[in-house]
Amino acid sequence: MEMKLRENCRYSLLVPTSMGLRMTPDAGQPVHSSRNFTLQATSAETNVASISSFLGLPVKVLTAFVKDSPFAQFIKTDLHSRGMDFEGPEIEQGGPWGYRHQINVADSGYGSRGPRVWNDRAGEVGCTLDAKDFDLDRIFGEEGVRIMHLSGLICALSPKTGSFCLELARAAKKYGTRISFDLNFRASFWKGREEELREVFSEIAACSDILIGNEEDFQLCLGIEGPEAGGKDIAAKIDGFKEMMTRVGKCYPGAEVFATTLRQVNDTNSHNWGAIMLDGDGWHTIMPREIHVLDRIGGGDGFVGGLLYGILKGWDGERCAQFGWAAGALATTFLTDYAQPADEEQVWSIWQGNARVKR
């Protein structure tokens, strides 16, 4: 596979997102029994972009901020620390019951106790994201973007963000920017909006060059038959995944890359982790193998980030899939919900199973 990307672009990767706060208890303890928490800036889309930004590629974030909020300043400082540029409107809070940045409270679980995540998105400022607040001709035309990565989380956040993502996809297509779309189905976002969101997701998928999702995502977002979600022996379902991805390719022939991760949970800290990718070179299957997990949240985003990094570097499909697998495994070793690779060698060492000390 060699995906032709735009040349002479200021940004390798662009992500629209709704930034929020992640609170995690110390030492992997449950939320209800904890007194001390670590605060992070978070979003699934910047989790993806962190692989590229930490490895030195230029990344831009489109988002919205609560004006004069100390948490907005915290988020901006964090994005700067990851080497990311950002822009977005400053929205007035509107008083104590107005807008805020979403809050994600999560414990990592331990052993036989699974992780639990509690999302508090009332009044989320990201719901106001609107294409009119961004100069898309400047961003895509003058500055230039090689790949834009969209997430179903942002598309489904509100009717306004669905329109926002559609406008971004249309502008990206106009200027020759490649589009990556991770479907990321969330039942709570789709409740009562199935027809509206199916239409939005289908149009974005039809514009996309890279489509990513698990068995649930493709079935519930796009209505494409696939294997039953869950189950213990994920390796036994690989043929079912391939049949599903073949059907996706027939429905969306404009896309060049299709990918999904494979995860079998043995216990909270031991997963069998694999991946499947289909591109012009054929199938690239990584059979599930055990990884040791500190915090599982962000592993899927790490895979997507590693895959996109490989495409941006011009690697062949097999190498892209391997780097994505390893970047996802790396993410599960961090307490942040995104990986912070020191260099490419660190990621490749994970792929090679080399955990020896490097002096």
Side-chain angles (χ1 to χ4, degrees):
M1 175 198 71
E2 185 176 347
M3 183 175 287
K4 186 171 177 58
L5 302 175
R6 284 181 66 186
E7 300 293 338
N8 303 316
C9 292
R10 180 171 176 181
Y11 294 104
S12 293
L13 186 62
L14 177 140
V15 293
T17 191
S18 174
M19 294 301 302
L21 306 168
R22 184 176 192 243
M23 298 172 58
T24 55
D26 289 352
Q29 292 301 291
V31 171
H32 70 275
S33 63
S34 298
R35 298 295 179 269
N36 298 315
F37 293 79
T38 298
L39 184 68
Q40 305 168 22
T42 189
S43 80
E45 300 74 31
T46 52
N47 290 352
V48 170
S50 289
I51 302 295
S52 286
S53 67
F54 275 99
L55 293 177
L57 296 183
V59 168
K60 186 166 191 173
V61 177
L62 303 184
T63 191
F65 299 100
V66 178
K67 187 176 181 181
D68 299 325
S69 163
F71 290 122
Q73 188 59 50
F74 175 82
I75 289 166
K76 292 174 183 178
T77 301
D78 179 83
L79 293 176
H80 277 309
S81 75
R82 295 195 229 174
M84 297 181 183
D85 290 347
F86 56 82
E87 69 170 274
E90 301 276 343
I91 307 297
E92 293 283 354
Q93 181 187 8
W97 291 272
Y99 290 115
R100 67 176 181 189
H101 290 277
Q102 51 115 339
I103 302 169
N104 175 279
V105 186
D107 78 72
S108 304
Y110 188 82
S112 58
R113 175 172 53 82
R116 287 194 172 187
V117 178
W118 179 266
N119 284 297
D120 186 348
R121 309 190 80 127
E124 182 173 352
V125 70
C127 290
T128 69
L129 283 165
D130 193 320
K132 70 178 176 56
D133 292 323
F134 301 89
D135 185 343
L136 300 186
D137 290 322
R138 168 180 55 80
I139 292 168
F140 290 103
E142 297 172 23
E143 295 177 349
V145 176
R146 302 185 79 199
I147 295 178
M148 175 180 69
H149 176 68
L150 289 172
S151 164
L153 297 175
I154 301 303
C155 296
L157 197 56
S158 71
K160 184 173 279 190
T161 61
S163 298
F164 170 64
C165 289
L166 279 172
E167 289 299 314
L168 289 180
R170 291 164 184 160
K173 204 74 175 172
K174 172 183 173 182
Y175 285 105
T177 295
R178 296 293 193 154
I179 300 170
S180 164
F181 187 26
D182 186 351
L183 298 171
N184 261 331
F185 175 82
R186 291 293 183 275
S188 57
F189 289 15
W190 279 66
K191 188 175 181 181
R193 302 174 61 206
E194 290 83 1
E195 185 176 344
E196 166 208 346
L197 289 175
R198 177 71 63 81
E199 186 175 332
V200 170
F201 275 58
S202 295
E203 181 173 344
I204 293 174
C207 293
S208 297
D209 303 282
I210 304 159
L211 281 172
I212 302 156
N214 62 28
E215 68 276 31
E216 185 178 61
D217 294 334
F218 284 118
Q219 292 181 79
L220 298 177
C221 294
L222 301 178
I224 295 171
E225 182 185 354
E228 184 180 347
K232 263 296 185 185
D233 189 2
I234 195 74
K237 297 163 68 174
I238 285 177
D239 287 344
F241 279 98
K242 288 184 174 181
E243 290 170 4
M244 175 187 70
M245 292 165 72
T246 300
R247 284 190 284 271
V248 175
K250 289 178 179 177
C251 290
Y252 298 96
E256 297 180 34
V257 175
F258 307 88
T260 188
T261 54
L262 306 170
R263 187 197 301 264
Q264 178 180 313
V265 177
N266 305 317
D267 64 40
T268 297
N269 307 108
S270 169
H271 295 179
N272 290 349
W273 179 241
I276 304 173
M277 176 176 158
L278 173 63
D279 67 7
D281 297 330
W283 293 103
H284 310 287
T285 303
I286 300 174
M287 296 300 293
R289 68 191 212 217
E290 187 180 21
I291 60 171
H292 300 284
V293 176
L294 184 61
D295 186 332
R296 69 167 283 168
I297 305 300
D301 297 328
F303 169 80
V304 178
L307 174 66
L308 296 182
Y309 179 80
I311 292 172
L312 286 164
K313 297 287 283 187
W315 296 343
D316 63 48
E318 182 178 28
R319 202 165 182 225
C320 290
Q322 292 171 349
F323 197 82
W325 180 93
L330 175 65
T332 69
T333 69
F334 281 84
L335 289 175
T336 51
D337 57 357
Y338 55 88
Q340 303 176 51
D343 46 39
E344 286 184 14
E345 181 187 3
Q346 185 178 60
V347 181
W348 284 120
S349 291
I350 291 175
W351 169 252
Q352 294 156 2
N354 176 18
R356 294 176 62 86
V357 64
K358 178 179 172 61
R359 301 184 189 277

